[in-house]
Structures are given as C-alpha cells and as structure tokens.
Amino acid sequence: MPVNLKDNLLLSDDVGYFFHDGFSFSNDAMLKVALRHIAIRRAQDDIEKIKPITFHYSSFNYGNNIAVHIDAYKNHTENIFIFDRSSLPQQTSPLQEGWEELRYEKYPILEFLSKAAPTSIYINKELEKVIVFVAKLNEKWVSSFSSSLFRILTWLFPDTQPDDDELILFKAISERNLDSLEKLSNDVCKTIDFAKEKRQRETEHFKKDLHGWGSGAYYSMVQNLENGAGNTRQSISVKTSELAKLIETLNEQTMQLNALRNSPPPNSDDVFEFFDMHRQLTTLKVEKDYDGKHLFYLINEKIEYYDVDEFVKQFKNKHSDLNKAKFSSEFLEIVYGLFALGKGSVKTRCVFKLTGISQLYPEMHWKYGDTKILPHPHLDMGACLGRNSSAIVAYLANSNWSQAVLQSIVATKNINFRDTHVVMKMMRWLNSKLNSKSKLIVSDKGIEMSLSEFHAYLKELTNNG
C-alpha cells in the first residue's frame, strides 16, 4: 500500500514553492521527502545555500548501449536520472570519462535494490550525476532507493556514512516509520521559515510584475501613435506620387484638348475621301457599340521592307530554321530570288480596326474567303505591330488618324527576319502554294505570277546571264 505522507511538512506547499521539483511518477513521496531533507540540512539554516537535488524520470530509451544513454542526457541539468525499462541495457562500449558503474562485488547496494527490481547504476562524482536503470519500477524499489541515497549520492556522502540524524532518516524510510519521518521533517523545517520566504518571494514577484503598470498604457499609446504616424506618412508619400502622375496626365490631356480646340473640326467626308484616295485600302464594314464606331478596313500590299543581309545570313546558315525545314531546292531558289535578289515581291494583306480616331489595331485570323494572297505574318497571324506601334500611338494621341492609317500600310509592307517564328509561318504558307496557280508574286517587271511562274522567270534570268 502507498505510504501516506500528505501531512509531512517537507511536502507542504510552502516548501514545494521553493524547490519546484515536480516528479513524474506515482508513489514518489518518500523519495521527495528524502531529497528535500538532505538538501535543507546541508544549507546550514541559510535558505540561499539550499541546492536542490534535482530528478528526471523517463521510460524512454536509446537502445541497449549505456554510453548512448549517457551521451543523450549529457546536457541535462538534473542530478538523478531513473530510466524504467523492461530489461536492463548493456555496456557495449567504454563509458565516457568520469563515469563508473557500481558493481555487485564492490557495492552491495545493487543486490539490495535488485531484490525489488533488477537495477544498474552509473555515477559521475565530478558532474554530481547518477543514472539508474531499473526493470519494472515499483513502490518497494522507490522506498529501498530512497533509504539508500547515502550510498548513491557519493558526492554528498563521500564516506558513504551519514551523520546520526541522517542515519535516523534513512532508517525511518526503510522501516516506513511515519512518526519518525514526521518528527524529522518538522525539526528540519524549523531551521528555515519557508512560509515567510514564500511570502517574500511572492511579494517581490508581484512587485516586479506590477512595476510600471500605470505607465504601461501610456507607453503603449505612444508606441501605437508612433506606428500610426509612420503608416500615415508612408500613405501620404504614396498618394503624393499618385497625385503627381495624375497632374502629369491632366497636363497632357489639357494640351491635346487645346490643340483640338485651336484646329477646325474635320470635314464630314474626310475619312471616306482618304480611303477612296488610297488604292491599298478597302473599307469592309462599320460597327457601332458602347465603345463607339469601328471601321474595319483591308490593306493589300507587297512585302518590300526587310533586312536583306539578315535573310541571306539565315539562308546560308545550315543550322537555321529555314534549312532545318528541309524545303525543296525549287522553293529555296524562289525565296532567295524574292528576298535576296529582289526579283519579286510577295503580295500580302491584313485587316485593321479603327475605333473613332483614338485606337487602331490589326485583326487576327481574318476570314478572307479565299487563300490567294498571303495573310500578313506579323499582323494577321500575330497581331504584332512591332516598332510601328509607337508611331501609331503617337499619331492617335495627337488625333492624327490619317497618319496612323498610313503607318498601318507601312507595317503591312514590313517583315522582320529576326522573328524566326513568324518568318517560318510565312515560309510554310508559301511552300503550301508551290503548285498553286494563284498570282502570289509581283515580279520586278510589275507582272503578277504564281510561284512556279516566278521560278521559271528566275531560270530565264539565269540563262540569259
């Protein structure tokens, strides 16, 4: 049956407040009384000199190697380590320096403890630590261990012999003499007023906790307001930057507005007359929605603006996309005659959408109803204006829609041979028309030809040398 020590002064709240030595297994009251008694007697009536004997219990293990256990707990601060195991570990490697095992032949304490449960003990006097392994921890073993501390805590009992009072303590524990234990506990607790010490420490603790309580709210408000002011300054900076951009935009809009007001309004038929005047342009349809009126117009042109040197470089590069495509020699002769020799130009077309006089964009993948003319590789196949975009935007910004439309014609006459993705789309389209009778080419003589006719024209030029 468990020993009833609940009224023992060494287990009182006042003493516990000082020691803070929470144990982690049941039926440990006897051990707690013994350890507190030893620590208080060695303080010699001075509470500041009390050095609690600390304790750690665990059923966790690191395998069967003693040295591994010692290494795992080397940084722990407790004095006593008890490991509850179903079987005792073995010493399979040398112990760390300073550690020794208590052996049966030299320390009869092991035989005494092992009667309650198999036990092995390892001690380091310099570190003031002891590691105990016990199989199936029980109340009898705890009682036996508590009564044998003078043979285990060798740094406190170097001669393994306690004085008379401590000898009475260990005998009372061994015999479970509660009356004797109670008297011993009362006597040792009289040497130090733990209740008074608890009150003093609690007072100091609360004083520390409450120090500056009244001014805390003040400093908290100051900090909050400083943070708030910092955030507001940052917001002002952001808003100021946004305001500067808005002012800049307003100035640009005002300048454009003044320019329009100082110029006469366009003639009602200006747009019609402009498109009627330029043979490349064909109006397709006019649509109206919430964005305004949209004019869709067709551009028919020839590809004439490109970098000849860039084409020739790719044509002669065996690793270029043009040569990797494995086109026929006939087709390669045709494109070389077109883009290197300039003996002809490819006819192309695309559709643009003019919205009011403020927006102008190419339409992608327009349905022309036939495949007789190349859809422009940049504009129809990719809606990409390239460098022409900035010029068109600048013209529209000044309400110069006619120059913007003229710039769209310039864009239609252009091909960028550095844009190999677009160029290869054009090459594959032309190659698919190799046997077509469609007049896709305009020769340097102004004659419309099919690709095969243009190839024959190139042969004729060569033969006539």
Side-chain angles (χ1 to χ4, degrees), residues 407-420:
Q407 191 68 41
S408 71
I409 296 174
V410 172
T412 309
K413 296 168 70 67
N414 177 268
I415 184 75
N416 180 10
F417 278 109
R418 289 186 177 85
D419 190 347
T420 57

Side-chain angles (χ1 to χ4, degrees), residues 182 187 313 349 396 415:
E182 185 174 348
D187 289 343
K313 182 174 70 174
R349 61 186 172 184
L396 293 175
I415 184 75

Side-chain angles (χ1 to χ4, degrees), residues 68 191 271 284 301 317 319 359 374 390 410 412 424 453 464:
V68 174
T191 61
V271 175
L284 298 177
E301 260 297 352
N317 182 358
H319 303 290
Q359 295 181 17
L374 170 70
S390 57
V410 172
T412 309
M424 289 309 299
E453 289 172 340
N464 293 334

Side-chain angles (χ1 to χ4, degrees), residues 119-284:
T119 306
S120 59
I121 300 177
Y122 300 83
I123 293 178
N124 190 314
K125 293 181 181 179
E126 183 178 352
L127 298 179
E128 299 184 354
K129 294 182 183 297
V130 56
I131 292 181
V132 182
F133 297 95
V134 55
K136 298 181 180 179
L137 187 68
N138 56 71
E139 182 187 350
K140 181 180 179 182
W141 186 91
V142 174
S143 179
S144 299
F145 183 80
S146 302
S147 66
S148 308
L149 287 171
F150 65 96
R151 297 190 182 277
I152 298 170
L153 307 180
T154 54
W155 60 90
L156 295 178
F157 300 91
D159 299 325
T160 68
Q161 184 64 34
D163 59 26
D164 291 341
D165 287 342
E166 287 178 332
L167 190 60
I168 295 172
L169 168 71
F170 295 126
K171 183 178 180 181
I173 293 174
S174 177
E175 296 175 351
R176 300 194 179 191
N177 188 332
L178 301 188
D179 293 335
S180 179
L181 276 175
E182 185 174 348
K183 182 179 183 307
L184 289 168
S185 297
N186 290 341
D187 289 343
V188 77
C189 286
K190 288 178 182 178
T191 61
I192 297 174
D193 191 342
F194 283 98
K196 178 181 178 182
E197 181 66 25
K198 178 183 177 183
R199 288 193 300 271
Q200 288 179 346
R201 294 197 178 193
E202 285 181 339
T203 300
E204 292 174 0
H205 177 75
F206 283 124
K207 182 179 179 181
K208 182 178 179 181
D209 284 348
L210 297 177
H211 177 72
W213 189 279
S215 59
Y218 167 82
Y219 290 113
S220 177
M221 290 178 65
V222 169
Q223 184 64 50
N224 289 338
L225 287 171
E226 285 181 349
N227 293 339
N231 293 336
T232 302
R233 290 190 191 96
Q234 185 175 1
S235 296
I236 290 173
S237 176
V238 172
K239 298 298 183 184
T240 301
S241 177
E242 292 177 354
L243 180 61
K245 292 179 180 178
L246 288 173
I247 292 173
E248 183 179 350
T249 301
L250 177 61
N251 288 336
E252 292 177 356
Q253 293 170 339
T254 302
M255 289 175 62
Q256 294 176 19
L257 177 60
N258 290 335
L260 282 176
R261 284 177 172 170
N262 293 327
S263 61
N267 186 293
S268 300
D269 295 324
D270 281 353
V271 175
F272 169 78
E273 292 174 358
F274 176 86
F275 277 86
D276 189 53
M277 183 189 307
H278 293 83
R279 59 176 180 78
Q280 308 99 320
L281 303 178
T282 302
T283 55
L284 298 177

